[in-house]
């Protein structure tokens, strides 16, 4: 029944947290901002998450996320806010050069490649996402990568998935499954358009009561039990 697998990238196949820290620290050095302490990095991550959630809810634009998060962070710690735009551009480039696989990610994708057609379905910028996918060699396995910046819509919007169905060439919902770590973008999006969902939950956090998932896995190798 299932023919097409849609993979979330950040936090699912790739460890976004480590890549993010590396990319920001590289920017801090380039911009002469000094060492980035763990406390400040944690604060940035909180601010960043807040902006992405607002984007998922459709409250702000993508550009407001990319620059707004750094503006708020810079203001909080008195870094030069005039350098926000340039900093973000370099950050995207550095992010594109940095990838760290999550445990068993490559094995899972390789395993599925025998029987399924796989795609990336990711919220992010083209520079960063394409860079990571190429670096990790995933672009050679995936038939196509769906990147929200290029589509003009984010997961969990209906429009994002509608674009995917058009490009894949099938609107049969029972032929699709999405695998991702985010309840608010991957699972909510999958539920919205009526395709099967796999929630990757490595930290074993509690599932919100109002959300149903078809499958929950804590280790990516468990896709072998599903597909
Ligand atoms: Mg994710």
């Amino acid at each position: 029944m299932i023919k097409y697998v849609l993979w979330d990238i950040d936090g699912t196949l790739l460890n976004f947290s480590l890549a993010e820290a590396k990319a920001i620290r590289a920017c801090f050095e380039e911009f002469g901002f000094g060492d980035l302490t763990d406390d400040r990095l944690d604060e940035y991550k909180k601010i960043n998450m807040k902006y992405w959630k607002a984007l998922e809810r459709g409250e702000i634009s993508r550009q407001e996320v990319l620059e707004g998060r750094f503006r708020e962070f810079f203001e909080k710690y008195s870094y030069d806010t005039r350098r926000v735009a340039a900093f973000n551009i370099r950050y995207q480039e550095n992010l594109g050069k940095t990838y760290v696989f999550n445990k068993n990610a490559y094995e899972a994708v390789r395993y599925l490649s025998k029987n399924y057609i796989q795609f990336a379905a990711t919220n992010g910028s083209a520079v960063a996402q394409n860079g990571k996918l190429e670096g990790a060699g995933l672009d050679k396995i995936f038939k196509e990568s769906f990147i929200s910046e290029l589509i003009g819509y984010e997961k969990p919007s209906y429009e994002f998935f509608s674009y995917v169905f058009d490009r894949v060439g099938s609107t049969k919902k029972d032929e699709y499954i999405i695998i991702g770590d985010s309840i608010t973008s991957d699972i909510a999006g999958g539920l919205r358009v009526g395709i099967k969902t796999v929630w990757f939950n490595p930290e074993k956090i509690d599932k919100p009561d109002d959300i149903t998932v078809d499958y929950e896995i804590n280790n990516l190798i468990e896709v072998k039990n599903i597909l």
Side-chain angles (χ1 to χ4, degrees):
M1 237 7 167
I2 301 282
K3 286 186 187 170
Y4 310 111
V5 177
L6 309 178
W7 278 104
D8 173 53
I9 301 303
D10 292 324
T12 301
L13 288 176
L14 301 182
N15 184 325
F16 182 71
S17 190
L18 279 179
E20 174 185 51
K22 264 180 95 170
I24 291 196
R25 289 211 154 98
C27 284
F28 259 62
E29 205 172 315
E30 285 175 40
F31 281 71
F33 287 174
D35 277 344
L36 177 62
T37 62
D38 289 343
D39 283 354
R40 289 191 181 190
L41 179 62
D42 285 346
E43 186 58 30
Y44 164 77
K45 286 184 177 188
K46 270 187 222 148
I47 293 170
N48 181 50
M49 187 63 74
K50 182 177 77 179
Y51 276 76
W52 279 102
K53 296 288 177 207
L55 179 66
E56 285 173 3
R57 294 191 299 266
E59 294 167 5
I60 56 174
S61 72
R62 140 169 302 281
Q63 203 56 25
E64 286 172 303
V65 173
L66 299 182
E67 294 188 6
R69 58 188 177 173
F70 287 126
R71 183 162 297 106
E72 185 173 330
F73 179 61
F74 282 20
E75 275 168 2
K76 182 154 190 179
Y77 296 107
S78 305
Y79 299 115
D80 186 353
T81 52
R82 289 168 303 182
R83 303 183 76 187
V84 159
F87 189 96
N88 177 58
I89 289 170
R90 280 302 293 153
Y91 173 65
Q92 300 301 330
E93 289 165 357
N94 284 333
L95 210 48
K97 286 186 228 155
T98 315
Y99 68 90
V100 183
F101 275 110
N102 271 332
K103 192 178 169 200
N104 293 323
Y106 198 70
E107 290 79 352
V109 169
R110 282 296 301 269
Y111 167 80
L112 294 184
S113 67
K114 281 178 251 162
N115 295 311
Y116 301 91
I117 303 173
Q118 300 178 89
F119 302 86
T122 173
N123 284 353
S125 75
V127 170
Q129 302 312 89
N130 278 327
K132 279 186 278 189
L133 290 166
E134 283 167 27
L138 289 168
D139 62 319
K140 290 180 194 70
I141 299 176
F142 293 154
K143 180 148 190 241
E144 188 169 341
S145 293
F146 300 114
I147 300 172
S148 67
E149 182 182 60
L150 299 177
I151 295 175
Y153 297 99
E154 318 287 326
K155 296 176 289 182
S157 75
Y158 183 85
E159 289 83 354
F160 179 95
F161 289 91
S162 174
Y163 178 93
V164 170
F165 299 154
D166 277 355
R167 287 288 305 169
V168 173
S170 170
T171 51
K172 291 186 189 137
K173 305 295 162 59
D174 58 358
E175 293 181 346
Y176 291 87
I177 193 164
I178 183 165
I179 308 173
D181 69 309
S182 169
I183 288 282
T184 52
S185 65
D186 306 313
I187 305 305
L191 288 172
R192 176 169 288 161
V193 296
I195 64 174
K196 283 243 177 335
T197 57
V198 181
W199 184 33
F200 175 50
N201 180 19
E203 308 292 339
K204 301 184 182 172
I205 58 173
D206 289 335
K207 185 177 68 59
D209 288 336
D210 55 338
I211 291 275
T212 48
V213 298
D214 292 296
Y215 306 96
E216 179 180 336
I217 59 175
N218 309 123
N219 184 317
L220 290 171
I221 210 66
E222 293 169 56
V223 295
K224 289 186 177 183
N225 305 333
I226 301 167
L227 293 162

